[in-house]
Amino acid sequence: MTTDTHKYEDSMSTTTPTRAPHSDAPTGHTSDRGRAGAGLFDPGQLVTSLPDALRKLDPRVMVKSPVMFVVLVGSVLTTVFSFTDPGDPFGWAISAWLWLTVVFANLAEAVAEGRGKAQADTLRRAKTDTVARRLVGEREEQVPGTELRIGDLVVCEAGDTIPGDGDVVEGVASVDESAITGESAPVIRESGGDRSAVTGGTRVLSDRVVIKITTKPGETFIDRMINLVEGAARQKTPNEIALNILLASLTIVFLLACATLPPFADYAGTRLTMVVLVALLVCLIPTTIGALLSAIGIAGMDRLVQRNVLAMSGRAVEAAGDVSTLLLDKTGTITLGNRRAAGFVPVRGTTEAEVADAAQLSSLADETPEGRSVVVLAKERYGLRERHQGELVGAEWVPFTAQTRMSGVDVDGRRVRKGAAGSVVAWVKERGGEAAEDADAAVGRISEAGGTPLLVAVEDERGARVLGVIHLKDVVKEGMRERFAELRRMGIRTVMITGDNPLTAKAIADEAGVDDFLAEATPEDKMALIKREQAGGRLVAMTGDGTNDAPALAQADVGVAMNTGTSAAKEAGNMVDLDSDPTKLIEIVEIGKQLLITRGALTTFSIANDVAKYFAIIPALFAAVYPGLDKLNIMHLSSPNSAILSAVIFNALIIVALVPLALKGVRYRPVSADRMLRRNLAVYGLGGLIAPFIGIKVIDLLISLVPGL
């Protein structure tokens, strides 16, 4: 986000953009579209995703998941061996359930992808082929939007659809971005500053703007969103790759273990068929987490999309879960972004009412939020009627300039000025007046408190003199202290970034409750801070929307760019917040942590499952030849065949049962890592041990009722 380089100690900026009602001001909540369906699971999705699940049986796709590829190979082998003995119902039953296990695993991933495709279909409806009004010199020509190139200038007026991504270089307009964000409230886009970026497919509601195209056709923001939410660009994260390696290693270990069983069986005078060995292998390898791993990652990105945050890769989502340092821009993130009048301080010999009257009079021509706040404060606190420029007949308005650093009005024989302290004092002395000592003291107090002092002076029949000081204050958003306390409980350190001087920065930091701050920050300072944090082994997240934020967003492990920001910021970040709510970074961190916790919880459940299935199958298989193993046959299953088939059926059904949890995610609570580990072991570890004993026993009882099995 832009740093606060416009300091009223040095100047009175009149270029602060005025927000229209319902504009880009952060709302503190996600859109209705974001809330709808967030974390929900519709059983009907299983049916609609079934064709995709069947298409994923392609070995070239399955080989990407070593565990499930082994199950696929096992399904083929058992099917082949079943054909050699077509009269054996046990072989056919095992084959059928192994195929279902593979399909159910693909179904979990297909359901997760299907939810993303539904989002993509919505975006495609917003993407239309438009006719652009391209500027060639001073004239306009109509061309298809697909012919636009980077650098082209196009004109858009009320009712026009913006033909491509770009930056407003001339004018200001109200734009309907509901096709992207789901919010019906229009936003303001204007040339200059950090609210100049526009997105192809959105619609201009009022006024006229000239837009400079910044992307090629087919590479627009909506095109990228469609590709990303469909999962086409999703890459495995380092932790996911490491877990895949672990699962592949376990699969190899159990493969070797099963390969050693036939000699033991032959020695004991019994025989293990290939169907039994494959079924045993599938039940012992970690098929549950292997089947759900991809779905968990896709669902994590989908949860971000449901909250109107677009993640450029799965790495960004996972990194958000490990973030330990959070950099937040002050303006627009921690504060409302516009200084507001908080009080009038009179000097000796004047009253607050006199200062308020002169301050309001000198602010009538000041259309900045700061100027309007002076008028409103004078009206609300002192009952002064809000006057208008047209009522002051013969008034000469003095606009603000960078040279004078003052503004005001000459009317009814009086000259009223307000502005930076040094400029107003110099103006008074030029007219033979003296600066009041208590005015200097008030300026010092306001500056030390983190506010911005503006002097108000007047020249009338009594001469030139200072009347008092206007206290401008940067207002901290409501609830920020509580949000930062929540981040602290997560173990995340917060750092406020601002262009203000250290005194002002400290005052705001103390009021907001951040852990640290960086004052008078330049892009180089931000980069240096991020690199220092990363050198200490910490992952850094940052929000931003300005071009000057782009280097830091690119350096940060999680760079969240605001959709209202410049194209450079959105290109540099690895996430884009479509609602442009900087405080949403807290939700992003929670979703990242939830993804990691879900993966860990289901891995714990899966391994515990394997242990339980081991005790269900092995004793039942060898109890007849090794009577000592009968003590481990605690479930007393009907027969060895029933034990194996029950385990295979349970192995397939548990995948379907866990799909909703994989998509919704395990609930995240801001607690310490050791408490979280104990909870996972107690809930998912113990649950993973108990569930197979109950499930396999129930299935065994049902199988015993089927003749021939």
Side-chain angles (χ1 to χ4, degrees):
M1 297 207 160
T2 54
T3 53
D4 303 306
T5 53
H6 61 291
K7 299 176 198 163
Y8 275 87
E9 295 86 5
D10 299 323
S11 66
M12 280 176 50
S13 171
T14 58
T15 59
T16 308
T18 303
R19 288 177 182 166
H22 308 293
S23 67
D24 300 322
T27 59
H29 58 78
T30 56
S31 69
D32 292 336
R33 183 173 65 84
R35 287 191 300 268
L40 298 180
F41 172 72
D42 178 9
Q45 290 176 319
L46 292 174
V47 177
T48 56
S49 301
L50 186 58
D52 287 334
L54 295 176
R55 281 191 287 270
K56 289 178 181 291
L57 292 174
D58 185 339
R60 293 170 296 182
V61 177
M62 296 295 299
V63 76
K64 296 177 182 178
S65 175
V67 176
M68 298 315 301
F69 182 71
V70 169
V71 180
L72 176 66
V73 172
S75 304
V76 174
L77 288 176
T78 55
T79 303
V80 171
F81 281 103
S82 295
F83 274 107
T84 62
D85 187 7
D88 180 15
F90 174 75
W92 288 112
I94 291 291
S95 298
W97 280 102
L98 289 183
W99 280 111
L100 286 175
T101 302
V102 180
V103 172
F104 290 161
N106 290 345
L107 197 58
E109 184 174 358
V111 168
E113 290 177 350
R115 286 159 35 121
K117 289 177 180 178
Q119 297 275 355
D121 290 339
T122 302
L123 293 170
R124 281 196 184 91
R125 287 194 292 270
K127 185 173 179 289
T128 57
D129 294 327
T130 57
V131 175
R133 297 161 55 188
R134 183 166 60 187
L135 280 178
V136 180
E138 296 296 324
R139 65 182 181 84
E140 296 180 10
E141 64 175 12
Q142 291 192 343
V143 297
T146 53
E147 292 186 9
L148 293 175
R149 295 296 178 262
I150 295 175
D152 284 350
L153 297 178
V154 296
V155 177
C156 289
E157 295 180 329
D160 291 345
T161 298
I162 296 174
D165 293 358
D167 293 321
V168 176
V169 294
E170 180 184 319
V172 57
S174 177
V175 179
D176 175 12
E177 294 189 344
S178 58
I180 301 175
T181 65
E183 296 285 0
S184 58
V187 296
I188 298 298
R189 293 289 176 265
E190 58 187 340
S191 60
D194 297 330
R195 296 186 181 274
S196 60
V198 292
T199 304
T202 58
R203 190 165 57 91
V204 177
L205 297 179
S206 68
D207 303 296
R208 176 185 185 274
V209 287
V210 177
I211 298 166
K212 183 177 182 180
I213 299 299
T214 57
T215 57
K216 299 177 182 178
E219 298 179 6
T220 65
F221 191 60
I222 286 187
D223 289 316
R224 289 163 56 206
M225 287 176 66
I226 291 171
N227 291 333
L228 289 166
V229 298
E230 284 185 325
R234 198 189 86 84
Q235 296 175 315
K236 292 182 186 292
T237 63
N239 281 349
E240 192 174 347
I241 292 172
L243 184 54
N244 265 318
I245 293 173
L246 172 63
L247 298 182
S249 301
L250 289 174
T251 301
I252 293 172
V253 169
F254 282 114
L255 183 62
L256 294 175
C258 289
T260 62
L261 288 179
F264 283 101
D266 291 341
Y267 178 78
T270 187
R271 180 173 174 270
L272 295 179
T273 65
M274 182 59 70
V275 171
V276 170
L277 286 174
V278 170
L280 181 62
L281 174 64
V282 169
C283 288
L284 295 184
I285 62 177
T287 50
T288 305
I289 186 61
L292 298 173
L293 187 58
S294 183
I296 293 170
I298 295 172
M301 293 183 69
D302 182 51
R303 281 194 291 275
L304 281 179
V305 173
Q306 290 169 350
R307 288 163 176 80
N308 280 353
V309 177
L310 182 64
M312 303 303 178
S313 71
R315 283 183 173 86
V317 186
E318 189 170 283
D322 287 329
V323 161
S324 53
T325 302
L326 187 59
L327 306 186
L328 295 164
D329 192 78
K330 186 199 77 168
T331 306
T333 304
I334 296 174
T335 66
L336 293 176
N338 296 316
R339 291 175 172 87
R340 295 182 178 181
F344 302 107
V345 182
V347 301
R348 189 177 298 110
T350 61
T351 64
E352 285 190 34
E354 289 179 285
V355 179
D357 180 71
Q360 186 189 66
L361 190 63
S362 62
S363 299
L364 293 179
D366 185 355
E367 293 299 329
T368 66
E370 292 85 355
R372 301 311 303 161
S373 72
V374 172
V375 175
V376 172
L377 181 65
K379 174 185 176 183
E380 292 178 349
R381 185 171 296 182
Y382 301 100
L384 297 176
R385 183 177 62 85
E386 185 174 346
R387 294 165 287 190
H388 301 280
Q389 297 181 49
E391 298 179 21
L392 303 179
V393 180
E396 293 185 15
W397 301 99
V398 180
F400 168 84
T401 65
Q403 289 73 32
T404 63
R405 294 188 295 165
M406 292 187 304
S407 62
V409 61
D410 297 342
V411 63
D412 297 333
R414 289 197 305 165
R415 295 180 176 180
V416 183
R417 298 290 185 272
K418 75 166 186 182
S423 299
V424 173
V425 168
W427 182 82
V428 170
K429 288 183 176 180
E430 284 176 4
R431 283 154 180 75
E434 292 292 332
E437 292 184 4
D438 49 348
D440 291 337
V443 167
R445 288 195 305 272
I446 292 171
S447 297
E448 290 176 3
T452 300
L454 299 181
L455 284 188
V456 180
V458 65
E459 183 185 17
D460 54 17
E461 65 277 359
R462 294 168 55 189
R465 64 194 186 282
V466 174
L467 294 178
V469 186
I470 303 172
H471 181 182
L472 292 181
K473 182 180 179 183
D474 212 351
V475 181
V476 174
K477 290 179 180 177
E478 186 178 353
M480 291 308 297
R481 178 173 284 274
E482 290 75 15
R483 284 177 174 262
F484 291 138
E486 183 179 344
L487 286 170
R488 203 170 291 114
R489 287 194 298 272
M490 295 181 192
I492 298 173
R493 175 172 170 263
T494 53
V495 181
M496 182 184 77
I497 307 294
T498 177
D500 282 340
N501 62 65
L503 282 177
T504 301
K506 185 178 186 307
I508 296 295
D510 291 341
E511 184 178 352
V514 296
D515 297 314
D516 201 356
F517 65 90
L518 178 65
E520 298 178 342
T522 64
E524 293 77 13
D525 293 333
K526 297 177 188 178
M527 284 281 287
L529 175 60
I530 292 173
K531 288 180 179 179
R532 284 198 304 272
E533 293 290 323
Q534 291 171 333
R538 291 177 287 273
L539 267 67
V540 179
M542 176 185 171
T543 60
D545 65 356
T547 301
N548 63 334
D549 292 321
L553 286 170
Q555 179 67 35
D557 300 285
V558 179
V560 183
M562 301 295 101
N563 189 44
T564 56
T566 61
S567 299
K570 289 192 281 190
E571 289 291 335
N574 50 22
M575 290 188 187
V576 177
D577 177 16
L578 303 179
D579 290 333
S580 298
D581 178 4
T583 59
K584 196 184 289 183
L585 191 53
I586 295 173
E587 290 184 56
I588 293 173
V589 170
E590 288 180 345
I591 290 171
K593 288 186 177 295
Q594 186 183 37
L595 184 149
L596 296 177
I597 292 168
T598 302
R599 187 184 297 158
L602 292 182
T603 300
T604 303
F605 185 91
S606 179
I607 294 175
N609 247 320
D610 295 336
V611 174
K613 285 181 286 188
Y614 176 87
F615 281 98
I617 298 175
I618 299 298
L621 275 178
F622 293 98
V625 293
Y626 295 106
L629 289 177
D630 195 51
K631 294 179 181 178
L632 298 177
N633 189 16
I634 57 178
M635 286 190 284
H636 301 291
L637 302 179
S638 303
S639 66
N641 280 3
S642 176
I644 294 170
L645 183 56
S646 298
V648 169
I649 294 174
F650 175 83
N651 197 57
L653 295 180
I654 197 65
I655 293 173
V656 179
L658 291 176
V659 167
L661 182 60
L663 297 181
K664 185 178 180 181
V666 175
R667 182 183 175 188
Y668 169 71
R669 296 182 179 86
V671 296
S672 61
D674 57 335
R675 285 186 60 189
M676 196 176 301
L677 177 61
R678 289 197 299 270
R679 179 178 178 275
N680 276 352
L681 289 175
V683 176
Y684 297 97
L686 187 60
L689 282 172
I690 295 174
F693 285 100
I694 298 173
I696 291 174
K697 182 62 178 177
V698 171
I699 295 171
D700 174 72
L701 293 175
L702 296 175
I703 289 176
S704 63
L705 302 177
V706 180
L709 291 176

